[in-house]
Amino acid sequence: MTALSPLDRPNSYIGRSVPRPNLTRLLQGRGQYVSDLVLPRMVHVAFVRSPYAHARIQRIDRQAACAMPGVVAVVTGPELAAVCSPWVGVLSHMKGLKSAPQHAIAVDVACWQGEAVAAVVASTRAEAEDAAEHVVVDYEELEPVTDMRTALDAATPVIHASLGDNLAFERRLDAGAVDDAFARADAVAETEFVFGRHTGVTLEPRSVVADWRPGDDRLTVYQGTQAPHMIQNIVALHLGLAEQQVRVVCKDVGGSFGIKVHVYPDEMATAALSKMLRRPVKYVADRLESFVTDIHARDHRVKGRVAVRNDGVITAFEIDDLTGIGPYSMYPRTSAIEANQVLNLVGGPYTTPNYRARTRVVFQNKTPMSQYRGVGHPIACSITEGLVDLAARTIGMDPVEIRRRNLVPDDAYPCASPTGMRFESLSHHAALDKLLTMMDYDALRADQATSRASGIHRGIGFASFVEVTNPSAAFYGIGGAGISSQDGVALRLDAAGTITCQTSVTEQGQGAEAVTAQVVATALGVKLADVRVMSGDTDVTPYGGGTWASRAAGIGGEAAWQAGKQLRRNILDVAASILQTQAEAMDIRESRIVDADTLTERLTLAELARIAYFRPDTLPPGFQAELMAVRHYVPRTYPFAFTNGIQSSYLEVDPDTGMARLLGHWVVEDCGTILNPQLVDEQIRGGVVQGLGAALFEHCRYDERGQMLNASMADYLVPMAAEMPDIAVGHIVSPTADSELGAKGAGEAGTAGAAAAVANAVNDALAPFGVTISEIPLTPDVILRALGRI
């Protein structure tokens, strides 16, 4: 029988909005989070954290703390360093990237406000916190490096003397004839973009329980993480253990967004303390700790300019990007990836062949920065789309028209960008056309004109984008990081005729379990309810990368499809031996073996499993039933499966208060084959909300001494339902040919373009005032200062 494509399989679940398998359990409040975990003899750790952004640790007096009720141990950095070795966050393929060795607890010098300088372990968290207040630390405050603009000046202190300067990474790129393009341009538009730091604000804070069992000579780490096998590898490496001595278990996770894909010192310290004390140790960050220890992102200042002809053709982009990342490059993914992505993706949707860029990544005494949902895409998109709109205003052209004249034609693919990014199949023009229809562009322009005549200032903003998904080994493995680019799925037909699926992809709330079950059920021909998905346990699941970079469906889903096809062949071979016929003459429908031509039922999967497991003596001599299949998948043809899309925002700005009110937001996105429409749209909308938060509300603010000024939910603003507009989502489908499913990623696309669309809409609304703002978040004070009102 000829193999059918995923979409052509009878009774296919692919493309259907089926419920999540974990929905009932979570709605009943029966989720299994690390915070809920209690183990025998478990103790709790609280960390003493530096109040200074930069300080030498001169003395730690723990005598009073050790005498406090319930205290088991008070541990300093040098003591823990004997158990846990330091790490350096670099990748070999990012030439020149450097960082200093980082310890689980600071040794000698604290490099940001919030860095742990001691750990207090006690019977309860409350006792640990009380005792931590009695640890006396004598500091010598050092001059902090806080302003990225002066971090490389000769007069600025060097944070790590062994590195020679505060430059972590620099890259330059020069493609085409940039100088000639600017010389011949009819107009040149330029500006400086400023992007404020923000962070993830996950519903569940970072949490870990480490359980060293001396009898087994083994460590089990229960952690809300996106990448269990990566954590297994790193914990083993730095605690001096063989990898098989470490098990990582990840159950339910209350949001990640990239926050929980990194190695954090306090989490490594918790694992080391468990090994040191030979008992379970638990750490759950409180919200204040989250603000000063969870990675931040997006802190960039970028000078950009664009060359354009009077006919609207853009002939060159040029950018100079500067970003500060804190005192260390995060391990193992590094803090230079975001800046590198910015350089790679500016100008991505457009035909412009001439592109010059420089990015510099500098150290500073602030909370470390690294990869967060979108990883550089919102910055690159905001720069690109901000410059495109600026070019349009300079020559007096409609923003839609200038995009039509410069977006790469949909029939021009495959092609490559000036930065060398290879694009397989994108759909910019189809996406733009669909977006204009969805939003009724002409009607919105008419409403804008009517409102403006009445003194109401409304604006429309657009943002085209490309997005990296399904990364291959070219992303991390090539640089020497122990981060798997492939994922694996193991399928088993159980004795009752149901399917157990073990996948290396982790469920983070995005619906990975649902998508995996859909793919497996479709590949096998079984009922969706007959598939049970297990994930997040390095002792059980195949080795794989986990959940990051929008890869769960595209890579993990393809592994599930291939495993399902193989198990289906195995099952039909068993059926053929039982029924004395040819495997090609049969099919599997709704968990039943049927005649392929007539669909007459011949055997249930439960009966087949009963015979194979309990009565193999009835099978032909020499035949062995194999009712398990394991398959892995990694992209090979392209380094990434790029997706694309376009967003538009319609908003109203009050020039007297500086408040921007969102009226509507539209997204058209192309993620290839859509496996579950509802989940894809949920991911897009969730990403848009985070992007809108970055555009208007979220900002980690620091003073000149490196003190974070708004490290609480009372002062750090996140978007709530009342601030959000309706978000309409549409799709174009351009499947990747690199896999049979054709699925790309969708988890970060909403974040990529939202801030750029809002920024362009604000500038469109303020056009009558003759101002252009290139700073986000676009808070009321930013808008009022631009208008000269304050």
Side-chain angles (χ1 to χ4, degrees):
M1 186 173 65
T2 304
L4 297 175
S5 74
L7 296 177
D8 293 333
R9 282 287 300 160
N11 304 314
S12 174
Y13 290 98
I14 293 175
R16 291 165 56 181
S17 295
V18 303
R20 302 167 181 245
N22 58 358
L23 190 61
T24 301
R25 176 172 58 82
L26 293 176
L27 287 175
Q28 291 177 352
R30 301 181 187 277
Q32 298 179 1
Y33 298 93
V34 176
S35 299
D36 303 321
L37 186 62
V38 178
L39 298 177
R41 299 183 68 246
M42 186 176 78
V43 289
H44 298 254
V45 60
F47 292 97
V48 180
R49 299 185 181 277
S50 171
Y52 300 107
H54 200 196
R56 182 169 287 107
I57 304 165
Q58 295 185 315
R59 185 178 70 94
I60 298 178
D61 184 349
R62 50 189 164 180
Q63 184 175 356
C66 289
M68 294 286 288
V71 171
V72 174
V74 179
V75 181
T76 64
E79 292 167 329
L80 202 67
V83 181
C84 181
S85 62
W87 52 86
V88 180
V90 296
L91 292 169
S92 62
H93 67 301
M94 300 188 72
K95 303 301 182 184
L97 173 60
K98 64 190 181 188
S99 186
Q102 185 176 6
H103 287 271
I105 295 179
V107 176
D108 297 328
V109 177
C111 290
W112 81 89
Q113 177 209 14
E115 184 173 12
V117 299
V120 179
V121 184
S123 299
T124 69
R125 174 61 183 253
E127 289 173 330
E129 289 184 354
D130 288 345
E133 293 183 1
H134 287 76
V135 176
V136 178
V137 184
D138 291 338
Y139 296 97
E140 176 193 351
E141 188 175 2
L142 304 174
E143 184 178 349
V145 179
T146 57
D147 190 338
M148 69 174 78
R149 293 169 294 183
T150 60
L152 300 178
D153 291 355
T156 301
V158 175
I159 296 174
H160 304 291
S162 62
L163 299 181
D165 56 32
N166 291 324
L167 181 66
F169 178 68
E170 181 175 14
R171 182 185 168 199
R172 298 171 183 263
L173 186 144
D174 201 330
V178 176
D179 291 333
D180 184 63
F182 277 102
R184 293 173 177 270
D186 292 318
V188 173
E190 57 187 304
T191 191
E192 182 177 26
F193 297 91
V194 179
F195 301 93
R197 277 179 172 240
H198 58 277
T199 187
V201 194
T202 56
L203 186 62
E204 176 200 20
R206 291 186 297 104
S207 310
V208 59
V209 173
D211 182 15
W212 174 258
R213 298 191 175 186
D216 299 329
D217 201 29
R218 202 157 189 255
L219 178 70
T220 299
V221 179
Y222 301 89
Q223 186 172 349
T225 176
Q226 297 172 236
H229 284 102
M230 182 198 80
I231 296 297
Q232 178 193 35
N233 170 271
I234 288 170
V235 168
L237 176 65
H238 293 284
L239 266 60
L241 301 171
E243 197 160 308
Q244 63 265 30
Q245 287 180 277
V246 179
R247 176 191 182 193
V248 177
V249 178
C250 173
K251 295 192 176 182
D252 293 314
V253 178
S256 295
F257 320 129
I259 295 295
K260 297 174 183 174
V261 78
H262 307 287
V263 170
Y264 288 90
D266 46 23
E267 294 172 352
M268 290 294 288
T270 304
L273 288 166
S274 179
K275 187 169 183 284
M276 174 187 288
L277 301 174
R278 300 163 68 86
R279 65 192 297 179
V281 179
K282 183 174 188 176
Y283 169 65
V284 178
D286 62 29
R287 190 59 68 183
L288 174 60
E289 287 179 300
S290 293
F291 273 114
V292 297
T293 61
D294 288 0
I295 61 102
H296 295 174
R298 324 279 205 236
D299 196 4
H300 291 253
R301 301 185 76 97
V302 186
K303 295 177 181 178
R305 62 177 187 150
V306 59
V308 62
R309 299 195 318 231
N310 286 332
D311 62 1
V313 174
I314 295 171
T315 57
F317 287 104
E318 183 175 13
I319 69 161
D320 189 351
D321 171 48
L322 177 66
T323 180
I325 59 167
Y328 299 100
S329 173
M330 281 295 284
Y331 183 63
R333 296 166 187 270
T334 85
S335 300
I337 287 288
E338 179 172 88
N340 200 56
Q341 293 276 71
V342 171
L343 186 148
N344 282 337
L345 295 173
V346 164
Y350 298 101
T351 57
T352 310
N354 307 307
Y355 177 48
R356 179 182 292 141
R358 176 177 71 160
T359 186
R360 288 171 297 161
V361 178
V362 299
F363 295 117
Q364 54 186 179
N365 294 114
K366 294 181 180 179
T367 300
M369 286 221 317
S370 196
Q371 299 162 44
Y372 167 60
R373 193 175 192 171
V375 194
H377 293 72
I379 305 296
C381 186
S382 293
I383 296 166
T384 303
E385 296 303 294
L387 289 174
V388 169
D389 263 31
L390 200 57
R393 285 195 294 276
T394 302
I395 64 172
M397 182 173 284
D398 183 87
V400 170
E401 183 58 29
I402 197 169
R403 285 170 173 80
R404 285 195 192 281
R405 298 189 183 194
N406 291 281
L407 287 169
V408 176
D410 295 352
D411 60 1
Y413 293 96
C415 67
S417 73
T419 63
M421 296 290 99
R422 294 168 54 211
F423 302 130
E424 177 191 5
S425 179
L426 302 181
S427 54
H428 294 295
H429 288 270
L432 174 60
D433 290 342
K434 184 162 189 171
L435 182 85
L436 295 175
T437 300
M438 286 172 55
M439 64 189 292
D440 196 350
Y441 180 58
D442 291 338
L444 283 186
R445 281 296 184 202
D447 178 72
Q448 179 190 38
T450 301
S451 299
R452 189 167 289 175
S454 303
I456 298 172
H457 298 278
R458 293 179 174 174
I460 304 170
F462 294 92
S464 294
F465 62 89
V466 294
E467 182 205 353
V468 169
T469 76
N470 296 8
S472 70
F475 211 34
Y476 292 117
I478 192 174
I483 301 170
S484 178
S485 55
Q486 69 177 16
D487 273 297
V489 168
L491 298 180
R492 182 180 74 238
L493 176 66
D494 295 318
T498 54
I499 305 297
T500 295
C501 169
Q502 298 160 324
T503 175
S504 59
V505 168
T506 55
E507 173 64 59
Q508 306 288 310
Q510 83 278 38
E513 287 185 13
V515 167
T516 302
Q518 286 177 259
V519 171
V520 169
T522 301
L524 284 170
V526 302
K527 299 174 184 176
L528 187 64
D530 288 345
V531 180
R532 182 171 71 99
V533 178
M534 301 170 60
S535 66
D537 187 338
T538 58
D539 268 9
V540 173
T541 62
Y543 202 97
T547 296
W548 46 275
S550 302
R551 64 194 303 282
I555 295 180
E558 184 66 19
W561 176 253
Q562 297 298 336
K565 289 202 310 176
Q566 181 59 54
L567 182 57
R568 180 175 176 274
R569 287 192 289 267
N570 293 356
I571 291 171
L572 291 178
D573 285 342
V574 177
S577 69
I578 294 172
L579 299 172
Q580 297 297 293
T581 184
Q582 299 296 312
E584 294 77 11
M586 292 175 295
D587 198 0
I588 306 175
R589 301 285 182 92
E590 296 290 302
S591 301
R592 299 171 298 127
I593 307 294
V594 300
D595 182 272
D597 294 327
T598 67
L599 301 185
T600 302
E601 181 177 335
R602 303 292 302 278
L603 193 68
T604 66
L605 285 187
E607 177 64 10
L608 180 145
R610 184 193 68 80
I611 295 171
Y613 286 123
F614 307 132
R615 292 302 309 276
D617 57 296
T618 64
L619 299 178
F623 179 83
Q624 175 61 53
E626 294 289 351
L627 297 180
M628 188 169 183
V630 181
R631 288 292 182 272
H632 287 79
Y633 170 73
V634 64
R636 293 295 187 90
T637 307
Y638 286 86
F640 310 98
F642 279 97
T643 69
N644 73 274
I646 187 168
Q647 299 188 31
S648 182
S649 193
Y650 190 44
L651 52 76
E652 182 179 306
V653 178
D654 185 338
D656 295 322
T657 65
M659 295 291 292
R661 183 166 66 95
L662 298 164
L663 303 175
H665 199 93
W666 297 265
V667 185
V668 175
E669 190 261 0
D670 186 343
C671 64
T673 302
I674 298 173
L675 304 182
N676 185 314
Q678 183 180 38
L679 290 178
V680 168
D681 287 0
E682 284 179 5
Q683 285 290 289
I684 297 298
R685 289 193 178 94
V688 166
V689 169
Q690 286 190 290
L692 296 179
L696 295 172
F697 307 108
E698 299 186 52
H699 192 190
C700 298
R701 303 178 67 89
Y702 283 84
D703 67 13
E704 68 279 359
R705 301 303 302 172
Q707 298 290 307
M708 189 174 174
L709 301 176
N710 59 335
S712 78
M713 294 303 293
D715 301 304
Y716 183 93
L717 302 181
V718 295
M720 306 293 282
E723 287 82 44
M724 291 298 98
D726 288 338
I727 302 170
V729 181
H731 298 279
I732 304 295
V733 177
S734 303
T736 174
D738 212 3
S739 67
E740 291 185 27
L741 281 179
K744 305 175 185 177
E748 297 167 286
T751 310
V758 166
N760 284 340
V762 167
N763 283 322
D764 187 46
L766 298 179
F769 298 93
V771 301
T772 298
I773 305 174
S774 51
E775 178 177 354
I776 64 170
L778 287 151
T779 54
D781 65 308
V782 168
I783 292 173
L784 292 176
R785 288 182 190 281
L787 292 171
R789 304 291 174 91
I790 59 173

